Amino acid sequence: MTPLSFSMLRILSDGKFHSGEEIAKTLGVSRSSAWNAAKSIEEAGLALFRVKGRGYRLEKAFEWLDRGKIVRMLGRHPLDIEILDEIDSTNSELLKRNGPHGKVVAAELQTMGRGRMGKPWVGEPGGSLTFSLAWKFDRGAGFLSGLSLAVGIALARAMKDCGIEGIKLKWPNDVLYNFHKLAGTLIEVKGDMLGPTLAVIGIGINFSLSDKAKESIDQAVIGIESMPVDNPGRNRLLSAILARLCDVLEIFEKSGFSPFKEEWSCLNAYDSKPVRVKLPSGKVEEGTLFGLSDNGEILIDSKHGRLAFASGEVSLRGIS
Ligand code: BTN
């Protein structure tokens, strides 16, 4: 979206009608430029009504990410939070900037959001919460196996803090509600084998998804707005997640994944279920999900015995 479209979206975000004339005057542009800006808002996935004689109105009011609100709700914390209108990917941005430690970048819109296993992450302005946190660990990348599971614990705890009950986790890092994907984490690391290591922890959470967005995603997805819970709003959820992440990461950097293993196991959506694991090599293994090893590998009871995997994608057999 162009900067002009974001300015127009700021005017329209109250969910009320605004005439083309008023918008053009406020922004100091022609009415046809305002018309083009409206078109780019629609192309980004927002539903906009145009009514002759009344002007433009968003289908629903838009809650902007607000650094001041987030910082106030977070209280004392070691983070440096930045909110951007648009960026290719918040993960790519923090990798490019090399962190630094404790830096958070959240964006209203990612033009090239990235998911795990080379998949895109689809989100629309206001319809998702997309952000990344940079965290420096003194140890090498090998120590970080299990980090994405610990991040899942932080997400589940924060959602509970915000009144979102019924959350489950799918190994290694999906947050599920009713077996539908609500959120995902992409962790990318930079550093030497022996450390220190910069981990960029990227999180995407669905709030609302248009039919077009749902069609482009190859699995069952859900947004907070269609769940039977009170929507806490993106600012409150982001501050709750950042608070929980700081706690979890401090424990993780001292003791690794094992302090979280039991909690994770209780939240395991596919516990004792028949599953299929697609390995990064493309090979597929089938079996019954047994649980987790101490460092967060998934354990599957297969016809070849108990197998442990450190990476891959798990699906329920008979579903997808
Ligand atoms: C997945 O489930 O596949 C992981 C999704 C991770 C998406 C987030 S959105 C913020 C951050 N920036 C990205 O480009 N990806 C992550």
Side-chain angles (χ1 to χ4, degrees):
M1 261 169 56
T2 59
L4 180 63
S5 313
F6 275 102
S7 304
M8 180 160 172
L9 189 53
R10 286 199 155 78
I11 297 175
L12 294 171
S13 55
D14 58 7
K16 297 186 179 145
F17 271 110
H18 295 268
S19 71
E21 193 183 347
E22 174 209 329
I23 292 169
K25 202 168 155 207
T26 311
L27 299 178
V29 297
S30 65
R31 283 182 68 169
S32 71
S33 301
W35 190 89
N36 283 328
K39 205 161 147 241
S40 102
I41 291 173
E42 284 176 316
E43 280 165 5
L46 285 154
L48 190 61
F49 299 122
R50 301 153 188 255
V51 176
K52 229 176 159 169
R54 298 195 71 187
Y56 302 93
R57 179 173 78 78
L58 279 180
E59 185 187 28
K60 55 179 190 229
F62 183 102
E63 186 208 17
W64 291 91
L65 289 172
D66 181 330
R67 184 178 179 280
K69 276 191 195 163
I70 296 162
V71 168
R72 263 195 308 282
M73 287 188 274
L74 198 49
R76 263 161 46 94
H77 65 89
L79 306 176
D80 170 18
I81 301 166
E82 184 176 341
I83 312 284
L84 303 174
D85 277 350
E86 182 176 308
I87 192 80
D88 52 354
S89 144
T90 55
N91 261 38
S92 306
E93 185 62 17
L94 285 184
L95 286 169
K96 220 183 315 167
R97 295 191 201 174
N98 257 321
H101 177 76
K103 179 82 192 174
V104 177
V105 169
E108 295 292 359
L109 178 62
Q110 293 188 122
T111 52
M112 285 191 25
R114 295 184 287 111
R116 287 181 64 245
M117 315 276 277
K119 292 183 187 171
W121 176 264
V122 179
E124 291 160 348
S128 64
L129 175 58
T130 49
F131 67 97
S132 304
L133 163 65
W135 202 266
K136 241 175 205 151
F137 293 89
D138 286 337
R139 310 215 223 164
F143 172 76
L144 300 186
S145 64
L147 176 60
S148 65
L149 287 90
V151 169
I153 294 287
L155 289 171
R157 287 181 183 171
M159 293 202 181
K160 199 156 190 215
D161 294 341
C162 291
I164 302 172
E165 303 280 347
I167 293 304
K168 294 277 182 187
L169 299 174
K170 182 186 125 178
W171 186 92
N173 55 20
D174 284 359
V175 176
L176 304 188
Y177 180 81
N178 245 342
F179 296 100
H180 286 60
K181 181 161 172 169
L182 174 63
T185 302
L186 174 69
I187 298 184
E188 295 176 291
V189 295
K190 230 175 149 179
D192 297 328
M193 277 312 283
L194 297 175
T197 313
L198 172 74
V200 172
I201 302 166
I203 296 175
I205 301 169
N206 301 320
F207 271 70
S208 62
L209 290 148
S210 65
D211 290 343
K212 189 172 148 218
K214 278 189 201 148
E215 276 160 27
S216 68
I217 303 172
D218 66 352
Q219 69 189 109
V221 287
I222 193 164
I224 288 176
E225 289 181 16
S226 43
M227 287 163 49
V229 297
D230 286 335
N231 180 357
R234 296 185 304 151
N235 289 305
R236 164 135 189 257
L237 186 58
L238 178 51
S239 75
I241 293 172
L242 293 176
R244 287 297 194 172
L245 270 175
C246 288
D247 294 347
V248 161
L249 294 174
E250 274 160 25
I251 295 172
F252 185 91
E253 72 197 344
K254 287 192 197 96
S255 317
F257 174 65
S258 58
F260 304 104
K261 186 180 160 192
E262 202 178 317
E263 190 174 348
W264 205 98
S265 303
C266 291
L267 293 167
N268 185 356
Y270 291 180
D271 188 32
S272 306
K273 297 251 186 314
V275 292
R276 176 176 294 126
V277 186
K278 188 170 174 205
L279 304 174
S281 64
K283 197 174 166 215
V284 173
E285 292 284 357
E286 291 189 344
T288 302
L289 201 150
F290 175 77
L292 297 178
S293 71
D294 278 346
N295 53 9
E297 292 158 322
I298 194 170
L299 303 174
I300 306 289
D301 285 336
S302 77
K303 60 181 181 203
H304 314 292
R306 184 160 295 163
L307 306 173
F309 302 108
S311 59
E313 191 162 72
V314 180
S315 53
L316 275 182
R317 267 187 289 143
I319 293 200
S320 59

